[in-house]
Amino acid sequence: MAQVEATTERIIAADAETVFDALADYSGTRAKVLPEHFSEYEVREGGDGEGTLVHWKLQATSKRVRDCLLEVSEPTDGQLVEKDRNSSMVTTWTVTPVGEGKSRAVVTTVWNGAGGIGGFFEKTFAPKGLARIYDLVLARLAAEVEAGVEK
C-alpha cells in the first residue's frame, strides 16, 4: 500500500487568527463552508478545535463515498489535524500569516492507498479530485471570513 497525498492552498484576505478560528468552528462556520460533497454533517463532541469529534460522509466521486468520523487535535499553533477513526485518512489544516491582514491556508490529506491496479488509479486520480473539493472549501472559507473582515 502506497501513501496517497492531496494538498491545496489559498491566500485569504484575513489575519491568520481569524481564518484559524473559522476553520476550528466545527459547530458553526465549518458546516457553512462545506460544499455538496459533504453530507450527514454532525458534531458529536466539542465543536471548537481540539477535542472535537465530527462526522460526515465525503462523496469524492459518484461511486466513492467515505464515511468519516474525525477526531480533531491542535498539535501546534495554527494547525488543526483531523484523524479519521474509520480509516488511515489524516487531514492537516495549517494557517500562517503572509503579510498585513493576509494568511495562507494549506490543507493536506494523506491516507494509505490500495494496492495493485486500483491503487495505481487511486494514487493518480484521487489527489486531484480531493484537491478540487478542498479548494472549494477554502474558497468558501475565504468568502466567509473576508465578508466578516469587511464589516
Side-chain angles (χ1 to χ4, degrees):
M1 285 190 293
Q3 192 167 60
V4 183
E5 180 176 318
T7 300
T8 190
E9 67 178 69
R10 183 179 201 90
I11 302 296
I12 299 175
D15 65 76
E17 186 177 341
T18 299
V19 174
F20 182 83
D21 288 349
L23 267 177
D25 180 16
Y26 289 88
S27 57
T29 306
R30 185 64 81 91
K32 286 196 282 188
V33 300
L34 294 177
E36 63 279 357
H37 302 89
F38 296 84
S39 64
E40 299 182 30
Y41 184 90
E42 176 189 19
V43 175
R44 296 193 177 165
E45 292 174 19
D48 184 25
E50 179 89 31
T52 296
L53 182 65
V54 64
H55 171 267
W56 61 62
K57 288 192 176 175
L58 172 60
Q59 184 156 3
T61 67
S62 60
K63 295 179 182 173
R64 180 74 169 118
V65 178
R66 187 183 288 256
D67 191 348
C68 302
L69 183 59
L70 303 150
E71 294 177 350
V72 179
S73 64
E74 294 182 32
T76 61
D77 282 351
Q79 193 172 65
L80 280 174
V81 176
E82 301 168 345
K83 290 185 180 177
D84 187 10
R85 287 185 179 176
N86 298 333
S87 73
S88 62
M89 188 170 74
V90 177
T91 300
T92 303
W93 301 84
T94 306
V95 181
T96 53
V98 288
E100 191 65 36
K102 289 187 177 179
S103 56
R104 171 180 284 114
V106 180
V107 56
T108 301
T109 301
V110 295
W111 69 95
N112 296 327
I117 192 74
F120 169 78
F121 284 106
E122 181 180 25
K123 193 170 178 85
T124 303
F125 298 108
K128 292 178 181 104
L130 196 55
R132 275 194 302 274
I133 291 169
Y134 278 117
D135 195 49
L136 276 171
V137 174
L138 290 175
R140 289 173 172 220
L141 175 68
E144 183 75 19
V145 296
E146 289 170 0
V149 169
E150 292 168 7
K151 289 181 183 171

